[in-house]
């Protein structure tokens, strides 16, 4: 996607200020958040796209704002996002580093983990799973995120056994194994859950 596409996702015209981007992002995140739309896949996809667009623009626009305030001129290094701003004194170069996309991903990941823990403690299992699935879609190669999602499936499966919703419990226990199939500790626990489930049948 190009820069205009990211603006469009946020419902803005190309060249909007970072303040406009931030305001639009906050509004759209509240509208499409998985907590508010737990069963709406389109809303989840929109939430992911909006977050991605905001994170990309966040790495670019603060530098643009800095240039407009300082009156200086900005140049981009070809192989990095480092920005050099030439001040009024030609001998003085101020180097600023926009937020690294990897750092943003890490912050998003751990904030989501904290929210996931709260949902599980509060037994808000559909919201926990929607949140973990959205993070898994965003970070599909992250093994920790995969493990968190599998554990969320297992915990909900156990809760469903306790509520005698056995067919549904079986589905989520199977999802736990499918999501993280090489986790031996999880595998052993889920097998015990299946045994408890069989005893109730």
């Amino acid at each position: 996607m190009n820069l205009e596409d990211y603006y469009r996702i946020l419902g803005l015209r190309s060249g909007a200020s970072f303040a406009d981007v931030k305001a639009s992002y906050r509004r759209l995140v509240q509208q499409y958040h998985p907590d508010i739309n737990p069963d709406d896949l389109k809303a989840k996809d929109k939430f992911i796209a909006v977050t991605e667009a905001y994170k990309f623009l966040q790495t670019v626009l603060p530098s643009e704002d800095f240039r407009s305030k300082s009156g200086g001129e900005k140049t981009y290094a070809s192989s990095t996002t480092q920005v050099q701003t030439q001040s009024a004194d030609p001998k003085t170069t101020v180097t600023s580093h926009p937020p690294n996309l990897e750092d943003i991903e890490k912050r998003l990941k751990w904030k989501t983990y904290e929210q996931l823990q709260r949902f599980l403690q509060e037994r808000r299992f559909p919201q926990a799973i929607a949140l973990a699935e959205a993070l898994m879609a965003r970070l599909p190669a992250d093994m920790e995120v995969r493990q968190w999602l599998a554990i969320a499936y297992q915990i909900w499966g156990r809760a469903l056994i306790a509520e005698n919703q056995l067919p549904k419990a079986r589905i989520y226990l199977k999802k736990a194994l499918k999501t993280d199939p090489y986790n031996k500790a999880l595998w052993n626990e889920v097998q015990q859950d299946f045994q408890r489930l069989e005893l109730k049948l």
Side-chain angles (χ1 to χ4, degrees):
M1 287 194 292
N2 61 33
L3 196 60
E4 289 184 6
D5 292 327
Y6 288 113
Y7 278 114
R8 183 179 46 77
I9 288 169
L10 293 172
L12 298 169
R13 291 183 179 180
S14 181
S17 70
F18 184 66
D20 291 336
V21 168
K22 196 171 184 179
S24 181
Y25 167 71
R26 286 180 173 171
R27 179 178 53 79
L28 291 170
V29 161
Q30 288 176 354
Q31 182 179 347
Y32 294 109
H33 199 283
D35 293 355
I36 298 167
N37 309 282
D39 301 317
D40 189 338
L41 293 178
K42 286 184 179 178
K44 185 169 79 170
D45 290 343
K46 182 71 174 177
F47 175 79
I48 292 168
V50 163
T51 303
E52 189 173 306
Y54 174 69
K55 283 189 287 189
F56 176 81
L57 292 172
Q58 192 178 37
T59 65
V60 177
L61 294 182
S63 301
E64 293 283 351
D65 288 351
F66 179 78
R67 180 181 69 170
S68 64
K69 288 173 187 173
S70 67
E73 189 174 327
K74 168 178 62 83
T75 60
Y76 287 95
S78 59
S79 61
T80 176
T81 57
Q82 178 178 325
V83 178
Q84 289 189 332
T85 306
Q86 193 70 34
S87 69
D89 180 357
K91 295 178 182 176
T92 307
T93 300
V94 180
T95 303
S96 64
H97 297 271
N100 185 306
L101 196 58
E102 188 176 330
D103 292 339
I104 294 168
E105 294 283 12
K106 284 179 184 175
R107 286 200 299 270
L108 173 69
K109 173 182 167 180
W110 290 105
K111 283 183 181 179
T112 303
Y113 175 73
E114 290 169 5
Q115 183 65 55
L116 178 63
Q117 290 297 310
R118 282 195 291 273
F119 283 155
L120 291 173
Q121 287 167 4
E122 295 166 4
R123 300 180 64 80
R124 295 168 63 186
F125 300 120
Q127 291 92 339
I129 284 174
L131 190 65
E133 286 176 342
L135 188 62
M136 187 76 239
R138 184 76 187 95
L139 303 171
D142 192 306
M143 293 308 296
E144 282 183 317
V145 173
R146 183 174 297 279
Q147 187 177 49
W148 299 344
L149 177 57
I151 290 169
Y153 284 144
Q154 184 209 7
I155 290 172
W156 198 11
R158 279 185 177 173
L160 291 166
I161 292 172
E163 295 169 7
N164 281 319
Q165 297 187 43
L166 305 182
K168 195 172 179 182
R170 185 184 299 276
I171 289 169
Y172 281 96
L173 292 174
K174 285 182 177 179
K175 279 188 171 191
L177 293 180
K178 187 177 179 182
T179 301
D180 195 7
Y182 304 111
N183 186 331
K184 290 182 181 178
L186 178 70
W187 186 275
N188 291 334
E189 287 186 19
V190 171
Q191 291 308 315
Q192 292 173 12
D193 294 331
F194 274 125
Q195 288 171 8
R196 287 174 53 221
L197 190 151
E198 294 299 327
L199 290 173
K200 290 204 167 201
L201 290 174

